[in-house]
Amino acid sequence: SSGINAEYGEDVLTMSVVKFKASDIGVLGRLTLFLLTTLRLVSVQYEEDETITMSNLTILNVVLKLMGNTHERTLTIYMLIIQVVCSGIGFLIRYQAVRLFYDE
């Protein structure tokens, strides 16, 4: 479930989630779940019937996890800022790494 949540008001977005049985994931999945939970990048709820409800592994959900439920316009601004920062970092790495391969 995801999207606009009537409980929080119009255009307020909440994290989307996925449900699965704990027995359906292997050792690597358990390790990944532990790591993501420890880093607080996902929201996890353990239920009595061994069902795990976890937020989806998307950048949108990480932003919603860190910033809380937010208006769609605000989330779009956050995502654009992330895009600009990551692109800037990518260009810096690219133009600095070129010095390793070519003489000036």
Side-chain angles (χ1 to χ4, degrees):
S1 63
S2 67
I4 297 173
N5 191 330
E7 179 181 337
Y8 296 103
E10 189 173 325
D11 294 337
V12 174
L13 298 175
T14 59
M15 288 187 293
S16 57
V17 296
V18 63
K19 290 185 179 189
F20 54 89
K21 295 282 187 187
S23 59
D24 290 344
I25 59 174
V27 175
L28 184 59
R30 291 178 199 276
L31 179 64
T32 303
L33 183 61
F34 172 77
L35 180 65
L36 291 172
T37 304
T38 302
L39 295 174
R40 297 182 182 186
L41 296 176
V42 294
S43 177
V44 179
Q45 295 176 343
Y46 298 92
E47 299 175 18
E48 291 180 18
D49 63 348
E50 293 190 22
T51 300
I52 298 174
T53 302
M54 182 178 98
S55 59
N56 287 335
L57 301 176
T58 63
I59 295 172
L60 287 173
N61 271 352
V62 171
V63 172
L64 287 170
K65 169 80 169 124
L66 298 174
M67 306 304 270
N69 300 333
T70 185
H71 190 275
E72 189 173 0
R73 180 176 295 138
T74 306
L75 182 61
T76 301
I77 291 169
Y78 291 152
M79 295 307 297
L80 288 171
I81 290 169
I82 290 170
Q83 178 68 43
V84 168
V85 169
C86 289
S87 293
I89 292 170
F91 278 117
L92 286 174
I93 291 171
R94 185 257 186 258
Y95 286 110
Q96 295 304 315
V98 76
R99 295 178 187 192
L100 298 172
F101 301 104
Y102 299 102
D103 293 330
E104 289 187 23

